[in-house]
Amino acid sequence: MGGKSIYLRDRPAFTGGSPQAVYEELWARGRKERLRLRVILAVGALALGGWLVSVWFGVALALAVAAADLLHHWWKRTSAGLWRRGLSGDQRMSRLLRFTLERRGYRVLHARAVPGHGKVDHLVIGPSGVWLIDNQAWHPDTEIEAYGGKLYIDGKSGRLTTDKLHNQARTVAELLSERLEIDVAATPVVAVHGGRLRRRLTANGVSLLRAIQVPGLIRGRQVAQYSREQIDLITRTATHVLPIGTRGLTA
């Protein structure tokens, strides 16, 4: 086995010198500094509350400030969980889609190969249309913005991300339309895990939003109006024109 763990997939995130490894090292080094700052904030809140109101109010305020600081750092580390493990978030998104959309009559195909354009994480087919979902997990401090309809990630062009999904959606729409002999539109969506995304963005015709917001977007935005029979027909067709990738169809 060469000293490698049989329980972990070989991912760059587990190698020394990777951004994830550096992040873990810096997080461990900063533990004492975080605790020191938390104590300073709590003591300051205690003094301020005791001076303005009472000693007991100061104690309560100090505990609240310390808890808020602890929660802040816990959330920051949790939001980086997928990125730290070198994952994109497809498993988390699969569970979310199962409990939100599939129970409402939507059909979800996972890890489907789009001829000439790689793999799409999730293909959702339902009453509101056909949707392609791509998962992206970024470092929690990564700035994600759009200017003039163009995506920027930490100030650098994110066009490769949007172009790939845009081309996948166009190819899927063409394949389904040709096979079914009707016009089928496929809408591309990027499910963002981590990073600093302050609002829903649209770049190059691709929507970027928090993963938890994706089911609401799909239910609320009516791209098409498909009956149950049409949904089943499109789903069967998609299973033929889009080969199974790493996982396949949900049960």
Side-chain angles (χ1 to χ4, degrees), residues 8 15 17 28 31 38 40 45 68 85 90 96 116 150 168 172 199 216:
L8 297 175
T15 62
R31 182 175 182 272
R38 189 171 304 147
I40 293 174
R85 295 192 296 273
D90 57 334
L96 182 61
K150 298 179 181 179
Q168 284 181 335
V172 169
R199 56 190 174 88

Side-chain angles (χ1 to χ4, degrees), residues 25-68:
E25 183 179 353
L26 293 176
W27 182 269
R29 288 182 184 178
R31 182 175 182 272
K32 290 183 178 179
E33 182 63 25
R34 291 193 300 272
L35 291 175
R36 187 178 71 85
L37 180 59
R38 189 171 304 147
V39 170
I40 293 174
L41 291 174
V43 170
L46 174 62
L48 181 63
W51 179 64
L52 292 176
V53 183
S54 67
V55 174
W56 291 113
F57 179 81
V59 171
L61 183 61
L63 292 174
V65 169

